[in-house]
Amino acid sequence: MEYFWRGQRIRYQRAGAQGSPVVLVHGFGASSDHWRQNLGVLGQGHRGFALDLLGFGGSAKPAPGAEIAYTFETWGALVADFIREVVGEPAAVVGNSIGGIVALQTAVQAPAWVTRVALLNPSLRLLHRRKRAQLPWYRRWGAPVFQNLLGWEPFGVWFFQRLAQPQVIRRILQQAYARREAITDDLVQMLYKPSQDPGAAQVFLAFVRYSDGPLLEDLLPQVTCPVLLVWGEADPWEPLALGKRLAEQFPQIHPFVTLPGVGHCPQDEAPELVNPLLLDWLAG
């Protein structure tokens, strides 16, 4: 299905015709297909929606510039308008990885339209400008140098093309997923195919050079709705200890649920654990 937002085509999927609505937001480089093991189950008792963020999946990939900035504020505005114009009533929002920040940003920008938020291994943005001081020296100095190098488009596009290959995508998934059996050919192709679209390289380069914008710590104090936090304990990119610290710091987070033996994408790695959890949360 498609929705046009500010003149740009947005692909989305839906399941279910009755019940309270829930909107699913994917992570970096993914799409609504990353919820393929969740949307149908949630749709049995709810109106479920999953959309491809602008720049990803089957959605438009306009060149970054004066009219389009690939920021959390942009994506938060997209999701808020999607809820108003497509869903038509306030909805719960579930986000994985950077989709978790988008979910919180939506709740901050349009609090009347978000009933609750679930964060599945949300991105901690450890390369953010304000967090670099906490990194080892070689990452603290190396990250901005490499980001600047990516700003030279010939090198940036070349680098993206080296990444956007099925065998490389599989290796990245083998880092992110603790359950190797969840890494299927279909999953690799799901991530590979949109990377071949015109504009995909420019979107990638715009985001990997984005070191500003909100952090979870900035958004959580502004959120008035309940927040569920779910953490795959084997996530190599977002340390569990930092997730626990967030849960202790912000009373909006309740409950905090950990999933042993699960990596960065719990909804796809362990749908048999995540789906009942989300259904109980929606019912509550």
Side-chain angles (χ1 to χ4, degrees), residues 5 10 12 26 28 34 96 131 135 162 170 187 211 219 226 230 232 243 272:
W5 182 72
I10 301 298
Y12 73 95
H26 62 81
F28 181 62
H34 215 186
N96 169 233
K131 287 196 170 184
L135 295 173
R162 303 284 77 75
R170 187 178 294 274
L187 174 61
S211 299
L219 296 172
V230 179
E272 80 285 356

Side-chain angles (χ1 to χ4, degrees), residues 123-230:
S123 172
L124 296 169
R125 304 198 68 203
L126 296 177
L127 294 179
H128 192 284
R129 200 179 308 276
R130 284 183 275 139
K131 287 196 170 184
R132 285 179 184 160
Q134 305 168 29
L135 295 173
W137 68 267
Y138 55 89
R139 293 188 69 192
R140 184 165 64 247
W141 295 104
V145 169
F146 188 61
Q147 286 175 317
N148 287 335
L149 185 57
L150 289 174
W152 182 46
E153 187 160 333
F155 174 79
V157 171
W158 175 86
F159 179 77
F160 175 78
Q161 290 171 344
R162 303 284 77 75
L163 288 181
Q165 300 181 36
Q167 65 271 26
V168 178
I169 292 170
R170 187 178 294 274
R171 288 200 294 270
I172 294 170
L173 288 169
Q174 287 170 348
Q175 293 178 18
Y177 279 49
R179 295 184 175 186
R180 295 295 181 87
E181 67 275 12
I183 303 171
T184 64
D185 291 343
D186 285 346
L187 174 61
V188 172
Q189 286 299 313
M190 181 195 85
L191 298 171
Y192 169 72
K193 185 179 177 182
S195 73
Q196 304 306 297
D197 290 348
Q202 286 69 31
V203 174
F204 169 85
L205 294 172
F207 187 75
V208 296
R209 299 182 68 230
Y210 174 43
S211 299
D212 297 298
L215 297 166
L216 290 173
E217 301 92 315
D218 302 327
L219 296 172
L220 280 165
Q222 304 177 62
V223 174
T224 55
C225 64
V227 177
L228 164 70
L229 182 58
V230 179

